[in-house]
Amino acid sequence: MVNLSDSGFTPEQTSYLSGFVSGILQGRELPFLGQDGERRFTHEPDQSVYGTPLEDLCKEERIKHEQNGLDCWDAIIANAATNEFPKDGDVFRYKFHGLFFVSPAQESLMLRCRIAGGALTSEQLRGLAGVAEKWGPGHADLTTRANVQIREIMPENAPNVLMALTDMGLTSQGSGADNIRNITASPTTGFDPDELIDVMPYARAMHHYILKNRDLYGLPRKFNISYDSGGRVSVCADTNDIGFYAVKVGENDKGIAPGIYFRMQLCGITGHKQFATDCGVLLTPAETIPVAAALIRVFIENGDRTNRKKARLKYLVDDWGFEKTLEETQKKLAFPMRYFPLEDCAPSLPKSKHGHLGIHQQSDGKHYIGVLTPVGRMSVQQMLALADVADEFGRSEIRLTVWQNLIIPGIPEEKLQAAITAIQATGLDHRNNAITGGLIACTGSRGCKYAAADTKGNAITLGNHLASKMILDQPVNIHLTGCHHSCAQHYIGDIGMMGTRVKVSDGSTVDGYNIVLGGGVDDTQAIAREIWNGVAFEEIPGLVEKLLCTYLAQRENDESFAAF
Ligand code: SF4
């Protein structure tokens, strides 16, 4: 038995270390020290998880309690040796490493990366293309969290895929399950003429803070954080659990130094028809990381672990209110949070709808080109070619957007035409299309077991139909999501669709959608309202065509579709 009594440690430290050593001797998970100095075990000594008795835990909480998902590397290796898929609780634990067993939609694993602020180097894009080519399906998908997913990975290749990611300076840790998802940031930050501050350093700092703090895994449910720089392209920060919005504070009588700060908005969860709301707090950029961490720790300790439907931050805040939530957060901070009226902050400029596409001048006089990647899918050849474009004409960087497409920054005026020619040679285009420029689709039934419809396939069919029938002079956003999980955020689309099975005359079912209209985000914030229920997809291209034609015929002046 190890004796720590003569070690010179304080009684608390001795107690902690005794637990540490006995945990190892019993073959249990390693305990770790929380930010507040408390001991934390995967196997809680008091047989509860943050006060919830074991018998009350929901299924996923029991799995996490049995073994921390971060510690299933042995299972990943063992299953690779026999090329077997994870079983039982390991299906959930694999998601802690960004690996999703997507059976029965596909008998394979899907990799979801983690790309802070959606910023990739050209070398990393090549590396991802290599993963997709060697171990995946020959293509990759851009997601609505400015992230990359690669499908059709077999268990025997999973360790190599994860090691390759690390080798190229990326990770997938915590990109699935009950963890803090990819940190998003305004995609033009750092070179946006309209922005108030470059938020990439803070998005990166948040990303690394999470990676380095083991107690920030295994939340009651998933958690989203986003930084809006005040720039021209929306990052949909108000759809996140925490949305940090840059604002300018001028001279005031409240004792706050003029400068650039962040407002903190809380509890965006549009699948539950709720945007994030300003909670009255004003933070310096550097304060955003400890405040987010403190709030997340409050959520970890107090969120519902018995009912998955009530386990998001929103439900804790609904129960407690902002006041108590912020009081509990304050207790974990070494500095006081600053309160300041929202109306005393200068409003940001409106966002540019579809500003993620086309050619735009940067703050340094160079240009960025937004490239349309239909429903987010890119072949390996396109990925390699775009990496070459970024190297040859830009600054060897690619920015992913939450609109399922990408931006190549840093292109001097004299190289623009050559860059455009090279982009078009890949089969992609930079030109905005008022319909397809905002056509978003989740994975759908070809790759997700929850899907009621082939969202990506249907979106392409719909986009092609509309593009062949009309010229729209105002951008519209059309979002197709396969189920109520709302990965494609149908409630923020001008036209949103949620998949459902529709019965036809012979008794079988076909792809169909419930259709909502009138959604928006940021300065056009609105939750779309359901207009049609259970429409078979084959009727939808004609229906949407009629809808848009009615808009074109009856709008007043250049009234937007959202206003119409
Ligand atoms: Fe799958 Fe549903 Fe998410 Fe679409 S919205 S990817 S169907 S979970």
Side-chain angles (χ1 to χ4, degrees):
M1 188 68 192
V2 181
N3 186 350
L4 294 166
S5 55
D6 297 321
S7 57
F9 289 116
T10 65
E12 289 77 11
Q13 287 168 330
T14 302
S15 162
Y16 166 68
L17 288 166
S18 300
F20 189 96
V21 172
S22 64
I24 292 169
L25 292 177
Q26 290 170 29
R28 302 188 315 194
E29 293 304 309
L30 299 183
F32 57 97
L33 199 59
Q35 193 72 2
D36 54 6
E38 285 179 7
R39 283 169 62 187
R40 302 257 168 75
F41 288 89
T42 303
H43 296 257
E44 293 277 326
D46 62 357
Q47 293 300 291
S48 73
V49 174
Y50 296 106
T52 302
L54 298 191
E55 60 271 22
D56 293 342
L57 295 176
C58 64
K59 181 179 145 211
E60 289 78 3
E61 287 298 330
R62 284 169 194 261
I63 291 168
K64 290 187 286 187
H65 179 74
E66 258 172 43
Q67 187 189 36
N68 188 321
L70 293 175
D71 299 328
C72 73
W73 182 247
D74 283 347
I76 294 171
I77 298 282
N79 285 333
T82 51
N83 199 24
E84 286 179 69
F85 291 107
K87 294 181 197 68
D88 306 324
D90 281 339
V91 174
F92 187 72
R93 291 187 200 100
Y94 264 46
K95 296 179 190 174
F96 278 63
H97 291 271
L99 292 172
F100 295 68
F101 180 33
V102 293
S103 173
Q106 290 179 310
E107 291 304 308
S108 57
L109 301 169
M110 180 196 79
L111 169 76
R112 180 184 293 154
C113 304
R114 197 175 181 103
I115 300 166
L120 277 176
T121 65
S122 53
E123 224 21 68
Q124 287 169 332
L125 185 58
R126 278 193 197 94
L128 291 170
V131 169
E133 182 171 43
K134 190 166 182 186
W135 297 302
H139 60 75
D141 292 312
L142 304 181
T143 78
T144 52
R145 286 206 71 75
N147 204 347
V148 172
Q149 292 182 167
I150 298 174
R151 315 189 70 86
E152 297 182 32
I153 292 167
M154 296 309 288
E156 63 186 338
N157 298 321
N160 280 329
V161 166
L162 295 186
M163 288 189 285
L165 264 195
T166 308
D167 290 346
M168 67 180 90
L170 294 174
T171 182
S172 56
Q173 187 166 305
S175 64
D178 301 336
N179 296 309
I180 304 160
R181 304 300 180 80
N182 194 37
I183 308 299
T184 59
S186 300
T188 49
T189 196
F191 49 84
D192 189 320
D194 295 346
E195 77 178 357
L196 297 171
I197 184 171
D198 180 358
V199 294
M200 194 58 78
Y202 306 102
R204 291 192 71 243
M206 185 75 78
H207 167 91
H208 287 286
Y209 189 89
I210 293 158
L211 290 180
K212 300 287 186 266
N213 281 282
R214 190 179 163 93
D215 71 318
L216 294 179
Y217 292 82
L219 279 58
R221 283 282 330 240
K222 71 174 179 180
F223 199 96
N224 294 323
I225 304 176
S226 183
Y227 280 89
D228 184 303
S229 69
R232 56 172 60 151
V233 181
S234 172
V235 64
C236 303
D238 52 358
T239 66
N240 286 250
D241 293 278
I242 301 179
F244 289 118
Y245 276 85
V247 289
K248 190 170 188 176
V249 174
E251 295 296 339
N252 60 85
D253 58 5
K254 309 219 165 35
I256 303 294
I260 304 301
Y261 294 85
F262 284 95
R263 304 294 308 185
M264 183 162 73
Q265 295 191 359
L266 296 180
C267 303
I269 169 172
T270 58
H272 297 218
K273 301 186 181 181
Q274 181 168 311
F275 284 103
T277 314
D278 187 273
C279 67
V281 169
L282 186 73
L283 301 168
T284 65
E287 288 169 350
T288 57
I289 291 126
V291 168
L295 177 64
I296 292 163
R297 288 182 170 117
V298 169
F299 175 51
I300 286 171
E301 291 165 15
N302 298 283
D304 192 324
R305 291 180 188 267
T306 63
N307 179 357
R308 301 285 285 173
K309 292 192 176 128
K310 298 284 178 194
R312 292 287 299 266
L313 176 70
K314 162 190 159 54
Y315 293 100
L316 179 65
V317 176
D318 280 354
D319 197 21
W320 280 6
F322 275 162
E323 195 178 334
K324 181 173 177 187
T325 305
L326 294 172
E327 272 172 20
E328 294 299 317
T329 302
Q330 183 62 70
K331 287 178 190 168
K332 295 186 181 298
L333 289 166
F335 58 89
M337 285 189 287
R338 194 179 299 97
Y339 289 82
F340 191 76
L342 175 62
E343 51 274 20
D344 288 354
C345 300
S348 297
L349 293 171
K351 303 296 183 197
S352 162
K353 198 167 185 176
H354 294 193
H356 51 272
L357 295 171
I359 303 166
H360 303 270
Q361 191 158 43
Q362 300 181 173
S363 50
D364 62 1
K366 292 183 178 175
H367 296 77
Y368 64 87
I369 301 180
V371 181
L372 178 59
T373 49
V375 294
R377 185 149 288 180
M378 284 187 302
S379 69
V380 162
Q381 292 71 24
Q382 287 170 330
M383 294 163 82
L384 294 173
L386 291 171
D388 289 345
V389 171
D391 279 347
E392 199 171 336
F393 309 109
R395 58 187 210 187
S396 298
E397 187 182 358
I398 291 96
R399 294 283 179 89
L400 309 181
T401 83
V402 300
W403 303 97
Q404 289 187 321
N405 36 48
L406 57 87
I407 284 168
I408 302 176
I411 303 174
E413 176 124 31
E414 65 276 14
K415 292 187 178 176
L416 273 176
Q417 192 48 56
I420 289 164
T421 304
I423 289 166
Q424 290 179 342
T426 69
L428 299 173
D429 208 337
H430 71 289
R431 283 171 293 193
N432 191 6
N433 178 302
I435 294 164
T436 55
L439 189 57
I440 312 284
C442 77
T443 298
S445 56
R446 290 191 207 177
C448 177
K449 66 180 176 184
Y450 299 110
D454 174 17
T455 49
K456 280 198 192 294
N458 291 341
I460 295 286
T461 304
L462 176 62
N464 289 343
H465 174 88
L466 295 175
S468 71
K469 296 285 183 184
M470 65 175 61
I471 294 173
L472 205 57
D473 54 2
Q474 294 274 346
V476 293
N477 291 336
I478 305 177
H479 297 233
L480 285 81
T481 206
C483 76
H484 69 279
H485 289 116
S486 188
C487 299
Q489 299 184 306
H490 57 295
Y491 284 120
I492 66 168
D494 290 305
I495 301 170
M497 303 184 200
M498 188 184 80
T500 185
R501 300 303 299 167
V502 175
K503 223 176 195 173
V504 287
S505 51
D506 67 359
S508 63
T509 62
V510 296
D511 283 13
Y513 292 87
N514 300 332
I515 303 176
V516 296
L517 297 180
V521 74
D522 286 322
D523 49 296
T524 59
Q525 190 183 89
I527 293 289
R529 283 178 301 124
E530 187 169 298
I531 305 295
W532 292 287
N533 188 276
V535 184
F537 176 71
E538 67 174 17
E539 293 174 34
I540 288 179
L543 182 68
V544 176
E545 180 192 338
K546 267 191 215 145
L547 180 70
L548 292 173
C549 286
T550 305
Y551 155 67
L552 287 173
Q554 296 187 5
R555 66 181 174 178
E556 289 176 8
N557 302 321
D558 57 354
E559 188 182 22
S560 71
F561 183 78
F564 179 74

